[in-house]
Amino acid sequence: MRRGRPPKRAKVRPPRCVLDSGGLTALAGGSQRAREWLRWVIEHDGSICVPTPILVESTTGDGGRDAEVNRILGVLQRAATVLQAPDESTARRAGRLRYLAKTDDGIDALVAATALGDGSPAVVLTSDPDDLNRLLQNDRQVSVRAV
């Protein structure tokens, strides 16, 4: 029998879920796939993030038209802080990703940079996985899922 310290166990970080405008719209539209992903993230003590620039693509400024998106954001906010404004580091990472992917979509680049975040596992819920996969270049820690 071997004596000494027990073997180190790898720390498993809770998953993160990042929503782009398609992911947020899918939730507002009642997408079962989007809800299943969020349920899985919550059951595994994960976090949900909506980068604030997503509001540009998801809201109109008309309370009636925005009601369902606002309701979904309210429900998510009650569970945890969801809206996240990009800091300078995230914005610069997004600029680099946008440049490397040769795209003009700065908001998708911010979503990708947010998902890369601290290097912990993340899933991005989107209606356009091709653009985000191009930005992320199939990073192993980030999984892009169509909803």
Side-chain angles (χ1 to χ4, degrees):
M1 184 168 139
R2 190 174 155 198
R3 294 184 184 202
R5 290 188 222 170
K8 288 185 181 180
R9 291 186 184 188
K11 274 190 175 180
V12 177
R13 294 193 219 183
R16 294 177 302 119
C17 181
V18 180
L19 301 173
D20 77 350
S21 59
L24 184 56
T25 301
L27 275 176
S31 164
Q32 279 306 114
R33 182 178 283 165
R35 289 177 186 209
E36 287 169 9
W37 271 109
L38 286 186
R39 194 172 301 118
W40 182 86
V41 168
I42 291 167
E43 287 172 358
H44 289 85
D45 297 322
S47 61
I48 301 162
C49 173
V50 177
T52 54
I54 292 308
L55 297 176
V56 171
E57 296 179 338
S58 303
T59 61
T60 65
D62 178 314
R65 288 179 185 234
D66 296 344
E68 190 59 17
V69 167
N70 291 335
R71 186 187 74 75
I72 294 295
L73 288 171
V75 168
L76 295 175
Q77 285 285 116
R78 281 192 290 280
T81 302
V82 173
L83 290 171
Q84 180 181 339
D87 59 13
E88 181 181 354
S89 173
T90 302
R92 289 182 180 276
R93 184 180 310 119
R96 179 77 178 152
L97 293 171
R98 186 190 56 76
Y99 173 78
L100 291 173
K102 295 178 174 69
T103 181
D104 291 333
D105 194 334
I107 293 181
D108 274 356
L110 281 167
V111 169
T114 300
L116 290 170
D118 61 3
S120 63
V123 60
V124 177
L125 300 184
T126 181
S127 59
D128 190 2
D130 293 338
D131 286 350
L132 282 158
N133 277 322
R134 185 172 42 257
L135 283 157
L136 291 163
Q137 298 180 12
N138 298 315
D139 183 275
R140 290 181 177 193
Q141 290 296 93
V142 180
S143 176
V144 178
R145 299 288 181 224
V147 290

